[in-house]
Amino acid sequence: AVVAVTRERRAGETRVAATPETVKKLIGQGFAVTVESGAGVTAAIPDAEYAAAGATVAKTLKDALAKADVLFKVRGPEAEELAALKPGAYVLATLNPYNERATLEGLAKAKAGAFAMEFVPRITRAQVMDVLSSQANLAGYRAVIEASEAYGKALPMMMTAAGTVAAAKVFIMGVGVAGLQAIATARRLGAVVTATDVRPATKEQVESLGAKFLAVEDEEFKNAQTAGGYAKEMSAEYQAKQAELLSSHIAKQDIVITTALIPGRPAPKLVSAEQVASMKPGSVIVDLAVEQGGNVVGAKLGEVAETANGVKILGRPNLPGRIAADASALYARNLLAFAGLLLDKDGKLAPDFEDEILKAALVTKDGAIVHEQLKTAPA
Ligand code: NAD
């Protein structure tokens, strides 16, 4: 079976869905691999490296897709890709399924068997395929780097002959995969780090990284985690109590990084305009949830919003794309592992659709949108 890797076509998408390392391994599993010329350039991988790994480099998109049985992508395929795809081909990508209905419809129309990598269940066997974790981890790291770049002061305390530079105070809101890496990164840079989350399990994780935990720890907080380990949407009362506790804290922070998400829902608003206004001039906020509606009032997708009191709110989309080489390397390994599930024990392309991982991730097949949660279009 042939795997095709095409160039990402979305504005600002710098990642690529395979690397020379995973191309070699795909070939070892029995696949042939075709890479569209230029696909790796923004992730620092020239065509020649793919060729050296055993891939065929195709000059055009059409050539890349002509024989493809499986298409590897970072983002959902564009119309020109779908037009060149064989009916019945499989597609592996992050499809942003709740927000990109047109992509799902295009995949169905092209009769693709499309898997949304975001829907891979978070079971032990699927950890190696977990694109949400691999990318969130790098996004958390990158958020601190972006914040420190926009912040006009140092993060660590420094004692110099000319006097002492104070350590920056960094507050992380939302301690999932991204938040934990943001805490670790800010600590490595010498900042004084605090963090909050609505899931009680995070308290110990925050403390084990040497940061201080801060939250209203009432009855609702004690039950705020689903069986799947995700956050629940909190009541208005809880949010108000939490906001009150956090207000005086936020006013004293130099950098705030927000990462809070609720699966399938808009991001919760965690930082109000008043809280932003309470911060010192020169402070920086990074809103990692900006693509899901944002955690911070005033954050603007793709912009650095500067408030009247001199606070910068960074609304950068696609932070993993700003560390494209590593993000691609991890994403490519996630896809490589997932692709293994499409083969039978003789190495033939014959996905077992009863496999719980494939079942959870399959969104279109045989001309229809098949995923339970996506069958009806959102209102
Ligand atoms: P996420 O991206 O869905 O959300 C980020 C964080 O925001 C979460 O910690 C969430 O609790 C928090 N949050 C939501 N609402 C909030 C609010 N109002 N205030 C403050 N914080 C709020 O989370 P994630 O990174 O996907 O991780 C979710 C869970 O899944 C974690 O427990 C993580 O350890 C777990 N996980 C398990 C596996 C696995 O077992 N394979 C893999 C990855 C993650």
Side-chain angles (χ1 to χ4, degrees), residues 32-123:
V33 182
T34 305
V35 177
E36 183 187 2
S37 177
V41 168
T42 50
I45 308 170
D47 288 350
E49 288 189 22
Y50 285 114
T56 305
V57 175
K59 282 220 173 67
T60 66
L61 178 66
K62 259 199 168 148
D63 291 345
L65 289 176
K67 290 191 190 134
D69 303 298
V70 186
L71 170 60
F72 276 22
K73 292 273 324 200
V74 176
R75 306 287 209 96
E78 302 295 312
E80 56 178 324
E81 295 174 291
L82 291 173
L85 198 63
K86 285 196 302 194
Y90 298 107
V91 176
L92 276 48
T94 55
L95 294 171
N96 193 12
Y98 292 118
N99 302 310
E100 288 182 36
R101 191 78 193 171
T103 303
L104 289 180
E105 282 163 1
L107 284 159
K109 207 165 149 231
K111 297 199 165 51
F115 294 97
M117 292 303 295
E118 298 97 322
F119 284 172
V120 167
R122 286 179 143 175
I123 56 174

Side-chain angles (χ1 to χ4, degrees), residues 19 158 248 301 364:
T19 60
M158 291 188 260
S248 62
L301 183 63
T364 69

Side-chain angles (χ1 to χ4, degrees), residues 2-287:
V2 177
V3 167
V5 183
T6 56
R7 182 172 56 76
E8 294 299 318
R9 286 166 161 74
R10 301 275 172 100
E13 187 50 76
T14 50
R15 292 169 290 174
V16 60
T19 60
E21 175 200 273
T22 64
V23 165
K24 259 189 226 153
K25 291 188 173 150
L26 285 163
I27 293 168
Q29 286 183 350
F31 287 107
V33 182
T34 305
V35 177
E36 183 187 2
S37 177
V41 168
T42 50
I45 308 170
D47 288 350
E49 288 189 22
Y50 285 114
T56 305
V57 175
K59 282 220 173 67
T60 66
L61 178 66
K62 259 199 168 148
D63 291 345
L65 289 176
K67 290 191 190 134
D69 303 298
V70 186
L71 170 60
F72 276 22
K73 292 273 324 200
V74 176
R75 306 287 209 96
E78 302 295 312
E80 56 178 324
E81 295 174 291
L82 291 173
L85 198 63
K86 285 196 302 194
Y90 298 107
V91 176
L92 276 48
T94 55
L95 294 171
N96 193 12
Y98 292 118
N99 302 310
E100 288 182 36
R101 191 78 193 171
T103 303
L104 289 180
E105 282 163 1
L107 284 159
K109 207 165 149 231
K111 297 199 165 51
F115 294 97
M117 292 303 295
E118 298 97 322
F119 284 172
V120 167
R122 286 179 143 175
I123 56 174
T124 307
R125 181 165 68 96
Q127 266 181 22
V128 57
M129 309 165 197
D130 185 350
V131 301
L132 291 179
S133 291
S134 77
Q135 303 303 293
N137 190 3
L138 293 171
Y141 161 80
R142 189 70 203 183
V144 177
I145 302 301
E146 300 277 338
S148 71
E149 200 257 320
Y151 181 54
K153 299 184 189 176
L155 266 66
M157 183 185 82
M158 291 188 260
M159 308 237 251
T160 81
T164 301
V165 169
K169 296 193 183 76
V170 176
F171 183 40
I172 312 293
M173 304 181 76
V175 187
V177 177
L180 284 172
Q181 186 57 258
I183 294 171
T185 303
R187 290 268 303 151
R188 284 185 203 116
L189 287 172
V192 175
V193 184
T194 50
T196 190
D197 198 293
V198 292
R199 291 184 298 114
T202 58
K203 181 177 178 163
E204 207 181 298
Q205 297 167 352
V206 167
E207 288 168 355
S208 75
L209 287 170
K212 209 176 145 222
F213 188 74
L214 200 78
V216 173
E217 300 183 39
D218 63 2
E219 276 307 309
E220 186 177 350
F221 173 81
K222 288 183 186 127
N223 297 304
Q225 180 156 331
T226 67
Y230 283 108
K232 291 185 187 161
E233 199 165 21
M234 302 304 274
S235 68
E237 292 77 44
Y238 184 90
Q239 301 233 23
K241 274 197 278 181
Q242 175 86 340
E244 197 182 295
L245 170 74
L246 299 186
S247 280
S248 62
H249 187 68
I250 289 173
K252 292 181 224 131
Q253 300 306 304
D254 300 303
I255 293 172
V256 173
I257 295 174
T258 70
T259 76
L261 295 175
I262 313 279
R265 309 271 311 143
K269 283 278 176 281
L270 301 185
V271 184
S272 66
E274 293 73 35
Q275 288 169 333
V276 174
S278 76
M279 294 179 75
K280 295 180 289 263
S283 306
V284 177
I285 303 175
V286 181
D287 189 343

